[in-house]
Amino acid sequence: MLSRTSFRADSPNRNLEAAALMVVATACFVGMSSTVKVLAAEFDTAQIVWGRYATHFLLVLALLAASGRLAEVRTTARPGVQLARSLLIFAATVLTFIPLRYLQLAEVASIMFLTPMIVTGLAALVLGERVGPRRWAAVGVGLLGALVIVRPGLGAFHWAASVAVLAAFAYACYQILTRVVGDKAPPVVSLFYASFVGTAVSSAVVPFDWVAPDLAGWARLALAGLFAAGGHLAMTAALVRAQASFVTAFSYLQLLWATLVGFALFGDLPDGWTFAGALLIAGSGLYVLHRERLRRTTAECPPATRIEP
């Protein structure tokens, strides 16, 4: 059962636990992506999405039942927002799985790291959060990094890279609505709604292009869902133990895992342009996280000890 225990930002043990959990989470997400890339040779995207969500849903349902918290699903606050954010994460999943058929793992992972920059821009426009010129500059550098990877107008451009950019935008919108929900629903309940909606929508579509899997195919479909559930649960547990700015910084390990796994399984090694773009995106994202940490520290400090941004 996931704990809702409050954390101390200055606790080394809690931070170490959170860091270890994020290592596990990023490895799980790359495991999911690599499994999807293997499945793409056998099944349509709709069937892969269904397998990922159906397994994820059953695991979350079992977790809620075992912890005696299934009744919380019926009493959750703001069900309309929960539905909208669930549809957005479903859209982000579909838009991420499509480019995995055509692009390297590291390329897709790099483009998805645009999400923190897009969240920063949307938070200013939609939620009215104050974003200073330095963070706007970081957002611009991140977008430049994406252009370096995508390279529109050049011979290396692939349409699937644009789909990955749309996936990052959908995932950013999902995160904005997650902020709107805030503490009104426990994370595991929000996870239930996301997995339930994804399973329901994909179940309505998958019969039109169904390919009967063999035993190995069923195992790989389930493995994608296991990796997804493990990654989300590990990330949620990390966020319980440490500040979001600390935890999110470790998400960039996903690029390292994606490069290593992509080379080991598929013989893919990103070119210099992809590495350069990934460095720009990662650097700008880490700077955005740094400014967010300073902003929160300033808000929490008394006037005499404030850190000026």
Side-chain angles (χ1 to χ4, degrees):
M1 180 171 121
L2 294 178
S3 170
R4 283 187 261 176
T5 306
S6 62
F7 62 84
R8 285 179 54 85
D10 57 350
S11 170
N13 289 336
R14 302 289 279 180
N15 284 346
L16 185 61
E17 290 174 7
L21 285 164
M22 279 305 293
V23 171
V24 173
T26 54
C28 283
F29 289 138
V30 171
M32 179 192 70
S33 297
S34 57
T35 305
V36 168
K37 194 169 181 65
V38 171
L39 285 166
E42 306 176 58
F43 305 107
D44 185 73
T45 300
Q47 190 166 349
I48 300 171
V49 171
W50 175 84
R52 173 253 188 269
Y53 268 107
T55 306
H56 195 168
F57 172 67
L58 291 174
L59 286 171
V60 173
L61 189 64
L63 178 64
L64 283 169
S67 61
R69 298 173 63 181
L70 200 55
E72 294 182 40
V73 172
R74 297 192 297 271
T75 58
T76 189
R78 310 193 74 169
V81 178
Q82 287 283 11
L83 175 62
R85 65 185 289 279
S86 298
L87 289 172
L88 280 167
I89 191 61
F90 176 79
T93 300
V94 174
L95 293 170
T96 303
F97 283 11
I98 291 173
L100 284 170
R101 289 178 175 270
Y102 308 101
L103 304 178
Q104 297 179 6
L105 289 177
E107 289 177 315
V108 177
S110 299
I111 295 171
M112 287 302 296
F113 282 134
L114 280 172
T115 300
M117 276 71 75
I118 299 173
V119 168
T120 299
L122 289 176
L125 298 174
V126 177
L127 302 180
E129 294 184 6
R130 182 181 177 276
V131 177
R134 295 179 186 178
R135 282 201 284 170
W136 278 120
V139 170
V141 171
L143 294 175
L144 176 62
L147 289 175
V148 170
I149 296 173
V150 175
R151 281 165 281 172
L154 301 180
F157 173 75
H158 196 292
W159 62 267
S162 301
V163 178
V165 173
L166 289 176
F169 184 80
Y171 190 48
C173 292
Y174 158 80
Q175 291 194 13
I176 290 294
L177 287 188
T178 299
R179 289 190 185 185
V180 172
V181 172
D183 297 328
K184 295 178 177 64
V188 71
V189 173
S190 294
L191 199 59
F192 168 85
Y193 274 96
S195 59
F196 171 74
V197 170
T199 302
V201 175
S202 58
S203 295
V205 175
V206 73
F208 296 100
D209 202 2
W210 177 263
V211 175
D214 57 14
L215 185 60
W218 279 113
R220 284 191 285 270
L221 287 169
L223 185 61
L226 286 170
F227 274 133
H232 282 287
L233 289 172
M235 184 172 65
T236 301
L239 288 167
V240 169
R241 287 164 171 77
Q243 291 181 341
S245 57
F246 174 83
V247 168
T248 309
F250 286 87
S251 65
Y252 289 93
L253 284 172
Q254 193 168 334
L255 181 57
L256 173 62
W257 304 142
T259 302
L260 294 175
V261 173
F263 180 72
L265 294 184
F266 309 107
D268 294 335
L269 193 62
D271 59 18
W273 288 103
T274 300
F275 273 121
L279 286 174
L280 286 172
I281 293 173
S284 58
L286 290 171
Y287 183 76
V288 166
L289 292 172
H290 169 67
R291 298 302 303 177
E292 178 69 12
R293 182 184 63 81
L294 288 181
R295 184 185 68 81
R296 292 187 179 184
T297 302
T298 302
E300 293 168 1
C301 287
T305 58
R306 282 181 182 249
I307 302 173
E308 292 299 326

